[in-house]
Amino acid sequence: MSFFLAVEISLREIFAHKFRSFLSMLGIVLGVSSLVATMGLTAGIEKGTKAILQQIGGLERVQVRPKAVETEEVDFWMISPGRTLTDAKAIRESVPSVTHISPELRNWTPVTAGGEEKGYNVNGVFPDYSFINSHSLAAGRFISDLDIANANRVVVIGNQIAETLFPSASPESILGKTVLLQRIPYEVVGVFSLYEREQDKVRRERGVKSARPARAGKNRWDPFRQKNESVLTPFSTMFYDFKSGANSQHTQETVPLEQLAFRVGDLDFFRESIDQVRAVLDVTHRGVDDFDFDTREDMFSQMESSMRATRISGGLIAGISLLVGGIGITNIMLASISQRVREIGIRRAIGARASDIFVQILIESVAIALIGGALGVCAGIFLMQVLIWVAPGENMPVLTMQSVALSVAFAFLAGVFSGIYPAFKAAALDPITALRYE
Amino acid sequence: MTLLDLQGVAKIYKIGGQEIRALDGIDLQIGEGEFVAIIGPSGSGKSTLMHLIGCLDTPDEGSIIVCGNDISSASSNGLARVRNREIGFVFQSFNLLPRFDVVDNIALPMAYAGVGARERRERAEALARKVGLEERLANRPSQLSGGQCQRVAIARALANDPKILLGDEPTGNLDSKTGDAILAMFRELHAAGKTVVIVTHDPEIAAVCDRVIEIKDGRIRRDYLSPESVR
């Protein structure tokens, strides 16, 4: 018997008992929809976390951080200059795979534009800073090499700072205005875009922003808060205005950095690049092991493992409902066969082989499972839409083709496994007994 | 040419340790173009004999050859193939599929023979016309009378153009007038070249057949040409 005919017969059988078939599909529908939904959910979380990671500099960003030296090295510790501009220049010259490098000075500085003074961390930076930290400008320009060379008193501010200093002013209108950093006048040359998470953006666009600070306050973790509150000056200007007084021996090259970050150009050579940087810094630090590297790999692998846990638990729930659904199908198929013993006998008498009967019952069970699977995918998508509507955000569930394919594959398997026993039973019926069955 | 050749056939059932020889040493040849009735009281073994001739079962002893196929050593699939191609069953209780319409019921054996959908439909419609059901193509068995159902069953039996038509009390569920019509149809088919074997307990039906085989207690008691056919 041809495959298509078997499918046609199965579908006819399924639609002849719509309610019964629907009931037997229900387990599969639930299983598949929860599978689609959980996979969409984890994919969404993954996407969201990756997006945030990207916006705070991506996986390629590495920070050099100071490290307490070993006890036996304490005597040598003084001979290391620590992280300095010399480090940055040495890395730039010796490690070609490092594409960007950003040494930073930082000073807690009162900032005002005529109103109340408020303290912020002001950073003295190089042009690479903007790229390494994935900044984008809403208006104006970033700090340039010329600013560094001339130690210009210019400042680039984050959107939050702009809002605080110049309430309700457009970014363009702020350009050229004067900001006082510890009463020294600086000219605003650039304003960054507002960085926000997807959920905050949606909230803001829906106009419920006012409700949020009252509920969550500033304690709520916002990965972009630091970026939105940046106040950036040229490295040299920061040195001359705020750092040179503390120790008259210090030059721009030897002043201790508050931050040293770099970006590796090719992630495939990430480890090698780090090793090269370590070798360079060993020289500039005169062999003292007083530095280490902070990479985002740890964060990334942590994210991966938590994602895996979510996926496994979701998969487990879906697996159990698929199992239950499969048992449901087995049950209904067995009932259906005992109602159709006579029919099976007739089919055998007019020339159906046992394998024809087997295939027919199996196809019927798989068809039920696949229809259930299709309904489940629809239900899962619907569920995800509800979730998106209820809780918009960076972690919005995303529908992936893999999740749909996987769910349908699982439904198919459930159909096959739940059909095997009934199909076997039907095929093993003795034609004569089956024909006489009343 | 001999279509059915039974040599020393026995069928033994074991019930509670007791051996019952439902058939015991049957030797029987039926040639092409014969019109045979197998009669006997209930429990005589005629149903068992019909199952063996119809390739629904295999003998415990002896050999059966149906249209050149050795049934006693055939596999389950081999039996199915012979049932499909060489034998057309007509049952007492029609045995139509209730959810299939007339055309689909007739076409069913062709589906198992691997005939394509379009040809199946054309041939099934032609057969339905042949048995006089051209008005009823889309009806289901529940919408047909008993006689019409049996005509559908005959059309289905003819679907793969088998050599042998095997009737199991084909008029048992019909009133005498319709029964006669069905018998007449068997006669016509016989005239057209089919070999017909009818299993019945009714001597009146046996009387219209050319050859009568009487079974009793699992053995052939008499095998004679019907007086009517000897002209």
Side-chain angles (χ1 to χ4, degrees), chain A residues 1-2 5 9 12-13 16-17 342-343 346-353 356 360 431-432 435-436, chain B residues 47 51 56-57 76-77 80 83-84 89 91 93 95-97 99-100 104 108-109 111-112 120 156:
Chain A
M1 186 161 63
S2 83
L5 185 69
I9 291 173
R12 201 187 288 212
E13 194 59 39
H17 308 277
R342 186 73 174 271
E343 177 198 320
I346 296 169
R347 286 177 182 276
R348 293 299 302 275
I350 60 169
R353 292 167 298 177
D356 289 327
Q360 186 191 327
I432 298 170
L435 264 178
R436 286 202 186 129
Chain B
S47 289
H51 293 148
L56 286 165
D57 209 348
S76 155
N77 285 352
R83 286 200 296 269
N84 188 224
F89 277 105
F91 299 97
S93 48
N95 277 346
L96 301 174
L97 296 189
R99 271 194 298 280
F100 282 40
D104 285 340
L108 200 58
Y112 289 110
R120 247 181 2 238
R156 181 181 66 185

Side-chain angles (χ1 to χ4, degrees), chain B residues 23-88:
Chain B
L23 290 178
D24 192 6
I26 301 273
D27 295 309
L28 175 65
Q29 280 80 38
I30 294 174
E32 188 160 11
E34 286 198 65
F35 195 153
V36 182
I38 296 174
I39 64 167
S42 61
S44 61
K46 65 178 192 306
S47 289
T48 308
L49 182 59
M50 187 210 67
H51 293 148
L52 290 175
I53 293 173
C55 300
L56 286 165
D57 209 348
T58 51
D60 294 319
E61 288 169 19
S63 77
I64 302 178
I65 292 169
V66 178
C67 303
N69 303 283
D70 187 354
I71 298 311
S72 28
S73 63
S75 66
S76 155
N77 285 352
L79 289 178
R81 201 188 161 281
V82 176
R83 286 200 296 269
N84 188 224
R85 311 287 167 93
E86 315 285 9
I87 293 165

